[in-house]
Amino acid sequence: MSKHTVTTIQAMRDNNETITMLTAYDYPTAKKVNDAGIDMILVGDSCAMVVHGHPNTLTATMDMMVLHCAAVARACDRTMVIADMPFGSFQYSIEDTMKNAARFVTEAKVDGVKFEATHNHIAKTKAVVEMGIACVGHVGLHPQAVGALGGLKAQGRDIDSARKVVSEALALQDAGVFAIIFEAVPAKLSDYVTRKLDIPTISIGGGPQCSGQLLVTPDVLGLYDTFTPSFAKQYVNVGQLMTDTFSQYAQEVKAGVFPGKEHSYGMSDDVLESIVQEFGEV
Ligand code: KIV
């Protein structure tokens, strides 16, 4: 199967085939996600939290994101890779936004970029689309606005907030994005907007009626428990498996069980004898 593109992702939506998306931040994980047949990867700025241990996503930088994106892109021959534009990379000028989006394509070789774009950033989104870069929008909860929102809270539950979600989604579609992520919004609202739009919608806490579903991979694997949103689902506890494995290793090292003969290099006795003659007995 060849690599997913904006065309194949749109065709999935048009054929009612649900789109699958996960986050990834490194080569080995991205390879497994690719090999599992997941359609899209987001190299999210959630990286700042789940990989680098920061309390929120605001500390993700362009350099950090480009490095992680390049590792992920090298692993994917089927999955479409989307880079998340970090805080400060698209909030200033159109020119800055275009240069930062271009870095992801030229240096990291990703297939597209995503913005937490509000109405204030529609012109910048349009400018990047017009450069020929595949763009994904993001409505509902914008984790980069955690300060202004007073926390990572669901959006679109009252009339003003719901209106914002709908109008931003429509404006993003008009700006030319090929898909929109709906984060932490009521299922009824994303269902309504999904039916109103012509492009795919991808839910992360946006309910089952979106065209696709996205989860943060360390949540899926039980690798990050500092903050777990209520919409996340843990499928396996790899974190516990890692802790158990590391403690088994420590026990074996302390007991002299590891390394065994099979993990050590051999050497002829002649070489050792020569060394002893030259440097003396111990
Ligand atoms: O950074 C990220 O992982 C994201 C998703 C939560 C949508 O932006």
Side-chain angles (χ1 to χ4, degrees):
M1 158 116 201
S2 55
K3 203 169 199 200
H4 271 300
T5 64
V6 294
T7 314
T8 60
I9 296 297
Q10 180 69 42
M12 288 180 77
R13 177 250 177 220
D14 295 344
N15 296 326
N16 285 323
E17 190 186 336
T18 308
I19 299 157
T20 54
M21 189 171 194
L22 284 170
T23 66
Y25 316 95
D26 61 72
Y27 178 87
T29 310
K31 185 122 185 44
K32 301 280 181 286
V33 172
N34 178 81
D35 295 352
I38 299 296
D39 303 308
M40 298 173 76
I41 283 180
L42 173 68
V43 189
D45 61 357
S46 47
C47 175
M49 296 172 74
V50 300
V51 177
H52 292 266
H54 292 286
N56 55 50
T57 62
L58 296 173
T59 42
T61 63
M62 275 303 296
D63 286 346
M64 178 199 284
M65 293 301 296
V66 167
L67 199 67
H68 286 285
C69 284
V72 168
R74 280 193 286 274
C76 295
D77 59 5
R78 180 192 181 276
T79 305
M80 185 175 192
V81 179
I82 304 296
D84 206 0
M85 300 275 291
F87 183 68
S89 68
F90 65 93
Q91 281 85 352
Y92 298 109
S93 65
I94 290 194
E95 197 174 309
D96 268 359
T97 307
M98 290 165 78
K99 280 187 187 155
N100 285 325
R103 268 194 77 187
F104 278 122
V105 178
T106 57
E107 292 179 40
K109 301 186 173 51
V110 298
D111 305 303
V113 299
K114 168 182 95 62
F115 304 79
E116 290 186 17
T118 62
H119 281 297
N120 289 335
H121 310 115
I122 296 298
K124 294 171 194 144
T125 308
K126 200 163 179 216
V128 176
V129 170
E130 281 169 6
M131 289 171 79
I133 298 177
C135 287
V136 175
H138 181 162
V139 298
L141 174 59
H142 284 165
Q144 290 176 14
V146 62
L149 295 172
L152 297 174
K153 299 173 183 164
Q155 302 296 305
R157 300 179 90 172
D158 60 51
I159 181 66
D160 289 341
S161 180
R163 195 178 281 126
K164 185 169 184 294
V165 169
V166 179
S167 60
E168 281 178 357
L170 291 170
L172 284 163
Q173 175 173 264
D174 284 350
V177 303
F178 77 93
I180 302 179
I181 289 172
F182 281 65
E183 180 167 356
V185 292
K188 279 186 198 163
L189 187 65
S190 15
D191 178 27
Y192 168 77
V193 189
T194 296
R195 286 184 287 111
K196 205 158 173 54
L197 294 179
D198 299 320
I199 56 173
T201 58
I202 298 176
S203 155
I204 175 157
Q209 305 300 339
C210 286
S211 328
Q213 294 294 326
L214 164 65
L215 281 176
V216 169
T217 294
D219 291 338
V220 172
L221 299 178
L223 276 176
Y224 180 76
D225 51 17
T226 308
F227 171 74
T228 307
S230 57
F231 54 72
K233 179 168 177 184
Q234 183 184 311
Y235 283 78
V236 60
N237 197 342
V238 174
Q240 189 58 53
L241 186 65
M242 286 170 79
T243 307
D244 292 348
T245 305
F246 299 150
S247 79
Q248 186 187 346
Y249 162 74
Q251 278 167 22
E252 287 197 4
V253 169
K254 287 183 191 298
V257 173
F258 179 84
K261 216 175 166 191
E262 68 278 26
H263 306 114
S264 307
Y265 294 103
M267 186 173 90
S268 100
D269 288 345
D270 293 350
V271 176
L272 187 58
E273 265 169 36
S274 305
I275 288 293
V276 172
Q277 270 174 18
E278 192 175 332
F279 293 94
E281 293 284 350
V282 181

